[in-house]
């Protein structure tokens, strides 16, 4: 659907529809029900400096029924420090009227308007039209009046403010606020092994259940204890990782076998207190446990700033002004002593708060903008646990120590960076302007990153430069969170459009951004060469691909460049700082491997929908990808059968596949494709199941006498094709279109169902008789009886020759070529997800497994990463706060923070980065400490003899020396073998042994070596040392 027109979006909203092509990644975070509740909500945001516009941007992208903005104040030049929708020409104009149309461009499904009043407090009844009100930059008196009215009238309120590197958020969602899903995690489930008479449930095969005390579960398919099936959810008590108790089970029967348990999400009811009461006795959510005592002090300090501003005509303390800071501290002391609980105040902390009160930083706006917007979405959807009720956060570690700060250096200069200069000073602003930074990825995080960099003035100076690499094109599903892109940009390169957008936000970036269209990887090292890397000051990853992140990380380690890496997964986000000679790298720790399923389970014994989806995706490849590729190889590769097939050990099945696609099953029309698809239905869902039940009847037992069909093995039933069943017919329709695509046969999405039925009515489906010679693997621990089948046929020349002789020669089919299907999950018209959904659900029907809708199937089969703009914004804010520290040149690892957040819970965890691993060796002069990650030996292009001597002088006797797969030197080599090598320069040695020239663009060669040091104990002389880098002077 075209969404360029607001009218189109509004009409779709009226119908209650959700545009899944736009919102797909967010739907996997929030779900359809929460999104529908959001789409009936009206939200007001007051205050449109950087923080307010961040919240507005995130809510507009998320999609609500209407978004109203309020801020009649004229825009100031200092607003441009963080307000990315204002431009220099807007100074003096009302913020709301300028900002509203630019926010409206983000999402045509979210109408954006300006609140029709110059005051929110003149008539509080005007607020009743909104479900949620967000206050930013509002004085304390108005906060009290508006919040009290909202609490009494059932209007949800969020109050948030930032002052330099300090920020706060408050929420009040009224009495009896119901959270439908506090965590957002998928419900846990498992197979029951036993339920004893005391109600102790054991999970099958010692599978960890993952449940917690207080969780609720339901049961189904339990035999013997029938009364427990489909009963009310039961509260559990965890007894161990594999067991839990459900309490009294008397009267429910005696457990015999089987059963499934499923976690049930129970709603949670929260009573929020009004703002006035929370102001006196705050409920504080800790954002950083290393600063446990700080929230109480900041709660007092923020009130002191409001009191100061009221006493000074609405003006906050001047930047770095000692007199103003002393007054703020005195006010804070009086507030602290007057309260119920006296708070011990740190004068240095409160003085810094006063110094920064006029500060307006883009990354802080991004952090609290993402956080506040997520709280708004929680309020209107009931999805995820809200903040109860205050959260304070600061990043004082970001303050620079390499430059001076003073009242003079922090005074406004009437520039767009005044909000940042108020915090860091003019000298640090100049430092930011002359950075050369590399951004890898221009997707969701990349867009937010470029926007933040534009706001802080990164690389705007004479030596500044930003390189952006992203080879991807913009897709419609990107528009929901990659906010620099618009519908008109779909199909264009992300890096180009993102660069254009941020140069419009900050014209000082003009000609400072270089867009690169090549993927960053081993095959493009001639593009991203030594010169490129050596010129950089730092690198920022904005990638969702682990392999690519690890590659960039390795390059940063090699070139000793600082890296900030970040990622998001729904409401979860993380940031990591990688610093030369200080921290470990991104690749130092590994994520757990991706879940995989045993082949035996997929082939014959699925027990959950994930199994049937994985099986369906394999069928997609077996039908529409693998065979067409094999046929094309046969037709295009000379002597394919002789040269390739004999080496594969899989001759018969491959040859049969080529024969089927070129002769026996080759369609001539779309109707032939329908016939083929109906035959596949019969083969997979009827015949294969009958064969399985012939091999293992439903009453069969194992060698120990236990029922074969028990535990994870679910006994299937064959399916009889039912044209009235939409899934049955849907399989045939999707498979027909994809088979036709393979052969280039034209098809139409407008073919009526009646045509498919007519073709199938004329088919004769033969009765299936099980084959007694077929063997089926019963368990993954047993050998596959079919694994050696191909090898037993290896010398069966007669069968091979029979199939080969039936194949048409490639010369007889000049120009003929099949078209393999390339899986694409986001094109709803290509039948890919339709086929996988139908194929999976038919298999689920065979095995009585609960089916999955198209949306869930697409998520699992497409390996979609759920994403939402709120998390992206917050994580980007954290990255830029770390970037400040890197640019400042901090060498104290304790000043840096790796972060992990989960906005659903909500949870915030910050930790000091892990130090890089250290080692040591014993030289002739004594013990030498080395950094195992960052250190290396660098040598010029000397001879091998000189090289060995240099290291011997260091106390390291080289036993073996290699480069790549080439062994250049070994201590056990005889004199004759070494004679010709010793006088070769290292570069010549590499080229001689590898028989390959060193590429012209390459400026170094890496050597690995095994050595012995000078340790007293000979058994301890074998030590691990860094690699050697040969520097080529070219």
């Amino acid at each position: 659907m075209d969404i360029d027109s607001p009218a189109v979006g509004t009409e779709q909203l009226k119908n209650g529809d959700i545009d899944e092509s736009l919102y797909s990644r967010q739907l996997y975070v929030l779900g359809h029900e929460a999104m529908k509740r959001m789409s009936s909500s009206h939200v007001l945001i007051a205050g449109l400096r950087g923080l307010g516009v961040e919240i507005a941007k995130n809510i507009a992208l998320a999609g609500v029924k209407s978004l109203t903005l309020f801020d009649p104040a004229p825009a100031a030049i200092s607003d441009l420090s963080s307000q990315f929708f204002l431009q220099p020409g807007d100074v003096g104009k009302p913020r709301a009227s300028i900002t509203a149309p630019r926010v409206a461009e983000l999402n045509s499904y979210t109408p954006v308007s300006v609140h029709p009043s110059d005051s929110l407090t003149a008539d509080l009844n005007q607020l009743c039209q909104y479900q949620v009100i967000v206050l930013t930059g509002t004085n304390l008196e108005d906060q009290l009046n508006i919040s009290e009215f909202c609490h009494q009238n059932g209007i949800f309120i969020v109050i948030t403010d930032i002052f330099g590197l300090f920020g706060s958020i408050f929420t009040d969602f009224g009495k009896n606020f119901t959270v439908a899903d506090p965590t957002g995690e998928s419900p846990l489930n498992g197979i029951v092994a036993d339920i004893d008479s005391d109600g102790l449930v054991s999970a099958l095969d010692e599978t960890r259940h993952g449940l917690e005390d207080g969780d609720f579960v339901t049961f189904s398919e339990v035999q013997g204890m029938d009364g427990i099936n489909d009963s009310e959810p039961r509260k559990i008590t965890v007894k161990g990782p594999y067991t839990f108790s459900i309490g009294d089970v008397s009267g429910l029967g005696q457990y015999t076998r089987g059963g499934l348990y499923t976690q049930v999400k129970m709603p949670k009811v929260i009573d929020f207190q009004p703002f006035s009461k929370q102001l006196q006795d705050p409920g504080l959510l800790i954002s950083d446990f290393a600063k446990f005592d700080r929230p109480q002090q900041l709660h007092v300090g923020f009130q002191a700033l409001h009191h100061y501003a009221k006493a000074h005509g609405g003006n906050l303390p001047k930047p770095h002004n000692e007199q103003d800071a002393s007054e703020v501290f005195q006010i804070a002391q009086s507030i602290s002593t007057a309260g119920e609980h006296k708070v011990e105040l740190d004068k240095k902390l409160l003085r810094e708060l006063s110094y920064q009160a006029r500060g307006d930083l883009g990354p802080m706006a991004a952090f609290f903008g993402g956080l506040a917007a997520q709280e708004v979405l929680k309020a209107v959807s009931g999805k995820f646990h809200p903040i109860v009720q205050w959260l304070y956060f600061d990043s004082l570690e970001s303050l620079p120590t390499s430059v001076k700060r003073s009242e003079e250096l922090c005074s406004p200069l009437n520039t767009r960076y005044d909000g940042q200069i108020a915090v860091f000073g003019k000298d640090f602003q100049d430092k930011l302007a002359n950075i050369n930074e590399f951004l890898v990825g221009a997707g969701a995080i990349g867009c937010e990153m470029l926007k933040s960099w534009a706001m802080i003035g990164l690389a705007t100076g004479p030596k500044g430069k930003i390189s952006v690499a992203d080879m991807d094109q913009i897709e419609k599903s990107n528009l929901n969170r990659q906010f620099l892109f618009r519908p008109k940009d779909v199909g264009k390169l992300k890096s180009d459009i993102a660069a254009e957008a941020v140069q419009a936000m900050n014209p000082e970036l003009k000609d400072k951004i270089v867009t690169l269209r090549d993927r960053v990887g081993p095959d493009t090292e001639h593009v991203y060469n030594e010169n490129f890397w050596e010129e950089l000051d730092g690198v920022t990853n904005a990638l969702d691909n682990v392999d690519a992140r690890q590659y960039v990380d390795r390059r940063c380690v090699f070139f000793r460049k600082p890296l900030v890496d970040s990622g998001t997964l729904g409401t979860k986000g993380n940031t990591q700082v990688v610093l030369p000679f200080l921290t470990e790298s991104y690749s130092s720790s590994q994520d757990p491997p991706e879940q995989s399923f045993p082949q035996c389970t997929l082939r014959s014994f699925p027990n959950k929908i994930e199994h049937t989806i994985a099986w369906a995706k394999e069928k997609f490849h077996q039908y529409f990808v693998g065979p067409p590729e094999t046929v094309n190889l046969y037709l295009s590769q000379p002597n394919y059968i002789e040269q390739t097939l004999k080496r594969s050990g899989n001759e018969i099945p491959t040859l049969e596949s080529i024969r089927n696609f070129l002769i026996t099953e080759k369609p001539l029309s779309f109707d032939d494709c329908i016939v083929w698809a109906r035959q596949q239905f019969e083969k997979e869902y009827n015949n294969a199941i009958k064969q399985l039940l012939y091999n293992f009847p439903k009453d069969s037992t194992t060698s120990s006498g236990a029922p074969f069909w028990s535990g994870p093995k679910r006994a299937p039933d064959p399916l009889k094709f039912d044209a009235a069943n939409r899934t049955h017919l849907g399989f045939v329709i999707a498979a027909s279109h994809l088979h036709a695509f393979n052969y280039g046969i034209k098809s139409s999405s407008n073919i009526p169902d009646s045509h498919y039925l007519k073709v199938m009515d004329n088919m004769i489906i033969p009765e299936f008789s099980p084959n007694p010679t077929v063997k089926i693997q019963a368990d993954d621990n047993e050998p596959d009886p079919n694994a050696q089948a191909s090898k037993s046929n290896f010398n069966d020349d007669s069968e091979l020759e029979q199939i080969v002789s039936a194949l048409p020669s490639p010369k007889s089919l000049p120009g003929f070529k099949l078209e393999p299907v390339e899986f694409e999950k986001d094109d709803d018209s290509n039948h890919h997800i339709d086929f996988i959904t139908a194929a999976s659900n038919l298999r689920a029907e065979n095995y009585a497994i609960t089916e999955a809708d198209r949306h869930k199937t697409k998520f699992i089969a497409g390996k979609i990463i759920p994403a939402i703009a709120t998390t992206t914004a917050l994580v980007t804010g954290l990255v830029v706060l770390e970037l400040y520290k890197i640019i400042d040149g901090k060498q104290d690892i304790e000043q840096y923070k790796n972060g992990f957040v989960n906005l659903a819970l909500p949870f915030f965890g910050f930790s000091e980065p892990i130090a890089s691993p250290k080692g040591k060796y014993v030289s002739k002069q004594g013990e030498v400490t080395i950094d195992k990650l960052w250190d290396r030996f660098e040598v010029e292009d000397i001879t091998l003899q000189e090289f060995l001597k240099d290291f011997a002088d260091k106390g390291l006797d080289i036993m073996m020396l290699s480069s790549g797969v080439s062994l250049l030197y070994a201590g056990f080599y005889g004199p004759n073998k070494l004679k010709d090598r010793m006088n070769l320069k290292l570069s010549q040695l590499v080229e001689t042994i590898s028989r390959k020239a060193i590429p012209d663009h390459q400026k170094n060669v890496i050597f690995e070596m095994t050595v012995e040091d000078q340790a007293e104990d000979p058994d301890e002389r074998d030590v691990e040392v860094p690699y050697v880098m040969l520097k080529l002077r070219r």
Side-chain angles (χ1 to χ4, degrees), residues 419-657:
Q420 187 163 253
I421 290 171
V423 179
F424 298 138
K426 175 68 171 65
D427 292 348
F428 191 67
Q429 188 63 47
D430 293 339
K431 211 168 187 177
L432 288 169
N434 290 291
I435 290 296
N436 184 345
E437 190 78 9
F438 183 26
L439 176 66
V440 192
I445 291 178
C447 284
E448 290 285 344
M449 201 69 65
L450 284 170
K451 174 263 293 178
S452 287
W453 291 357
M455 293 299 98
I456 69 173
L458 190 80
T460 53
K463 297 179 182 177
K465 180 181 176 183
I466 294 172
S467 301
V468 186
D470 198 314
M471 62 179 290
D472 289 345
Q473 294 178 327
I474 298 164
E475 299 174 0
K476 185 179 177 182
S477 63
N478 300 150
L479 304 179
N480 172 239
R481 63 203 184 283
Q482 299 177 17
F483 88 105
L484 296 180
F485 308 142
R486 302 290 180 267
K488 64 182 174 60
D489 300 323
V490 170
K492 299 176 184 176
L493 278 172
K494 288 183 177 181
S495 54
D496 289 348
I497 300 303
E500 288 175 16
V502 295
Q503 285 175 97
M505 286 179 177
N506 185 351
E508 292 180 21
L509 278 174
K510 185 172 172 54
D511 300 326
K512 298 292 182 182
I513 302 180
V514 177
T515 58
L516 301 158
R517 303 179 182 190
D518 294 287
R519 186 191 304 276
V520 183
D523 55 334
T524 56
E525 289 183 3
H526 62 289
V527 177
Y528 306 100
N529 55 27
E530 281 86 349
N531 287 340
F532 175 85
W533 286 96
E534 285 166 1
E535 290 174 357
L536 298 174
D537 292 310
V539 181
T540 301
N541 264 351
L543 296 160
D544 60 5
N545 178 302
V546 172
D547 290 340
R549 290 162 82 172
Q550 288 178 336
Y551 174 78
V552 174
D553 174 69
R554 290 195 300 271
R555 298 306 275 172
C556 287
V557 171
F558 182 79
F559 290 102
R560 295 168 171 170
K561 300 296 178 183
L563 167 71
V564 192
D565 187 275
S566 60
T568 68
L569 181 70
T571 59
K572 299 172 185 148
N574 69 283
T575 62
Q576 181 180 352
V577 189
V578 177
L579 301 161
F581 303 103
L582 284 181
T583 72
E584 67 175 17
S585 73
Y586 173 82
S587 305
S588 297
S589 57
Q590 301 254 333
D591 290 330
E594 196 173 291
Q595 183 184 21
S596 61
F597 303 116
Q599 279 301 311
C600 181
T601 300
L602 295 184
R603 281 198 296 259
S604 306
F605 308 112
N607 58 60
K608 54 185 179 181
I609 196 66
E610 288 81 2
H611 295 157
T612 68
I613 292 172
W615 177 88
K617 197 169 180 189
E618 281 192 6
K619 288 297 169 188
F620 181 92
H621 189 274
Q622 290 172 16
Y623 286 156
F624 313 117
V625 184
E629 289 176 345
T630 302
V631 168
N632 289 343
L633 286 172
Y634 167 73
L635 295 174
S636 63
Q637 204 173 85
N639 303 318
Y640 172 77
I641 292 176
E642 292 80 1
Q643 293 183 7
T644 307
L645 219 48
K646 290 282 171 92
R647 294 199 299 267
S648 71
N650 199 28
E651 296 83 359
I652 301 294
T654 306
L655 284 173
E656 287 176 340
S657 174

Side-chain angles (χ1 to χ4, degrees), residues 128-384:
C128 292
Q129 60 186 299
Y130 306 110
Q131 275 74 51
V132 190
I133 293 172
V134 183
L135 301 181
T136 74
T138 310
N139 65 60
L140 184 58
E141 188 176 344
D142 285 353
Q143 289 177 3
L144 283 162
N145 290 334
I146 294 170
S147 62
E148 192 63 34
F149 179 84
C150 289
H151 190 81
Q152 291 173 2
N153 288 275
I155 303 168
F156 307 138
I157 189 164
V158 176
I159 302 173
T160 180
D161 280 306
I162 55 172
F163 301 106
L165 290 164
F166 299 89
S168 73
I169 185 170
F170 166 83
T171 63
D172 176 7
F173 298 163
K175 294 182 178 178
N176 300 319
F177 178 78
T178 302
V179 184
D181 180 0
T183 67
E185 300 295 333
S186 298
L188 299 166
N189 57 71
I191 301 172
V192 175
D194 182 54
I195 306 176
D196 70 13
S197 57
D198 294 324
L200 184 71
V201 180
S202 301
L204 184 75
D205 291 339
E206 291 204 339
T207 305
R208 289 178 178 270
H209 52 68
L211 298 167
E212 297 178 359
D213 283 345
D215 284 345
F216 285 78
V217 296
T218 57
F219 293 87
S220 60
E221 302 182 22
V222 175
Q223 296 181 30
M225 196 177 281
D226 297 339
I228 203 171
N229 290 326
D230 303 318
S231 61
E232 288 296 310
R234 299 180 73 100
K235 193 173 184 179
I236 68 112
T237 304
V238 173
K239 296 299 183 182
Y242 314 106
T243 56
F244 58 89
S245 172
I246 55 172
D248 183 19
V249 292
S250 57
L252 296 177
Q254 182 73 34
Y255 177 85
T256 56
R257 59 185 278 203
L260 305 171
Y261 65 84
T262 304
Q263 182 187 18
V264 178
K265 294 292 186 74
M266 302 298 284
K268 180 178 180 179
V269 177
I270 303 172
D271 270 341
F272 284 83
Q273 294 180 340
F275 179 74
S276 55
K277 189 169 183 180
Q278 278 283 304
L279 202 61
Q280 303 303 318
D281 187 14
L284 296 164
L285 176 67
I286 303 299
S287 64
D288 187 345
F289 287 93
K291 305 173 181 178
F292 195 79
D293 61 339
R294 205 165 280 183
Q296 286 279 8
Q297 296 186 67
L298 293 180
H299 187 69
V300 172
F302 274 46
Q303 292 178 67
L305 288 181
H306 282 291
H307 285 290
Y308 177 96
K310 184 177 181 181
H312 292 81
N315 295 312
L316 289 163
K318 293 183 284 296
H320 231 278
N321 183 281
E322 292 294 343
Q323 186 176 341
D324 291 356
S326 296
E327 186 176 341
V328 168
F329 184 69
Q330 288 173 2
I331 297 170
Q333 283 183 310
S334 62
I335 293 171
S336 173
T337 53
E340 294 180 22
H341 309 288
K342 184 176 180 180
V343 179
E344 291 294 326
L345 298 177
D346 179 345
K347 188 172 184 179
K348 187 178 178 181
L349 176 70
L350 272 293
R351 190 166 70 235
E352 196 60 63
L353 175 62
S354 177
Y355 288 167
Q356 299 182 33
R358 294 192 187 185
D360 186 12
L361 300 177
M364 289 296 291
F367 179 91
F368 278 95
L371 189 55
Q374 189 66 60
E375 293 305 302
V376 171
L377 301 183
K378 291 176 185 178
V380 297
S381 70
K383 180 95 172 185
F384 308 138

Side-chain angles (χ1 to χ4, degrees), residues 589-830:
S589 57
Q590 301 254 333
D591 290 330
E594 196 173 291
Q595 183 184 21
S596 61
F597 303 116
Q599 279 301 311
C600 181
T601 300
L602 295 184
R603 281 198 296 259
S604 306
F605 308 112
N607 58 60
K608 54 185 179 181
I609 196 66
E610 288 81 2
H611 295 157
T612 68
I613 292 172
W615 177 88
K617 197 169 180 189
E618 281 192 6
K619 288 297 169 188
F620 181 92
H621 189 274
Q622 290 172 16
Y623 286 156
F624 313 117
V625 184
E629 289 176 345
T630 302
V631 168
N632 289 343
L633 286 172
Y634 167 73
L635 295 174
S636 63
Q637 204 173 85
N639 303 318
Y640 172 77
I641 292 176
E642 292 80 1
Q643 293 183 7
T644 307
L645 219 48
K646 290 282 171 92
R647 294 199 299 267
S648 71
N650 199 28
E651 296 83 359
I652 301 294
T654 306
L655 284 173
E656 287 176 340
S657 174
I658 296 173
R659 180 194 63 196
N660 293 343
F661 266 68
L662 286 179
I663 304 172
T664 56
E665 296 178 0
K666 182 181 178 182
L668 299 176
S669 66
F670 186 71
D671 286 0
D672 291 345
C673 296
I674 297 174
V675 171
W676 176 86
R678 174 65 183 85
Q679 290 169 341
Q680 304 317 305
F681 179 99
E682 200 68 18
K683 172 185 167 187
E684 301 294 356
Y685 305 109
N686 183 61
N687 301 355
I689 300 301
K690 285 181 176 177
Q691 181 70 55
L692 180 64
L693 291 173
Y694 174 83
N695 286 52
F696 306 111
K698 288 193 176 184
D699 59 357
S700 58
T701 58
T702 65
S703 56
S704 63
F708 178 84
W709 295 104
S710 63
K713 289 187 172 72
R714 302 172 66 83
D717 291 297
L719 298 184
K720 184 176 181 182
F721 185 80
D722 178 5
N725 185 313
R726 196 66 219 172
T727 305
H728 292 215
L729 183 59
F731 174 88
V732 172
I733 292 172
S736 302
H737 281 279
L738 292 170
H739 198 56
F741 177 87
N742 283 152
Y743 287 90
I745 295 172
K746 290 187 178 180
S747 62
S748 169
S749 58
N750 297 323
I751 298 172
D753 292 352
S754 58
H755 182 77
Y756 293 93
L757 301 180
K758 180 182 176 183
V759 172
M760 289 188 288
D761 284 344
N762 292 326
M763 291 177 63
I764 298 174
I765 305 296
E767 275 295 317
F768 175 75
S769 297
N771 184 345
T773 66
V774 169
K775 296 178 180 178
I776 298 175
Q777 186 181 10
D779 190 281
D780 282 301
N781 297 322
E782 297 178 3
D784 183 353
N786 301 303
Q788 303 302 318
S790 60
K791 292 196 175 180
S792 66
N793 291 327
F794 188 82
N795 294 315
D796 192 348
D797 292 337
S798 61
E799 188 175 358
L800 274 173
E801 287 174 11
Q802 187 179 353
I803 300 173
V804 171
S805 64
L807 294 177
S809 72
K811 290 180 180 178
S812 69
L813 296 168
F816 182 80
K817 182 184 176 185
L818 293 181
E819 188 69 43
V821 174
E822 188 174 331
F823 178 64
E824 172 48 60
K825 60 186 177 292
D826 285 321
D827 181 354
D828 291 339
S829 66
N830 65 12

Side-chain angles (χ1 to χ4, degrees), residues 61 64 91 395 490 841 902 936:
L61 290 171
V64 291
V91 172
S395 183
V490 170
N841 284 338
N902 186 343
R936 63 177 173 239

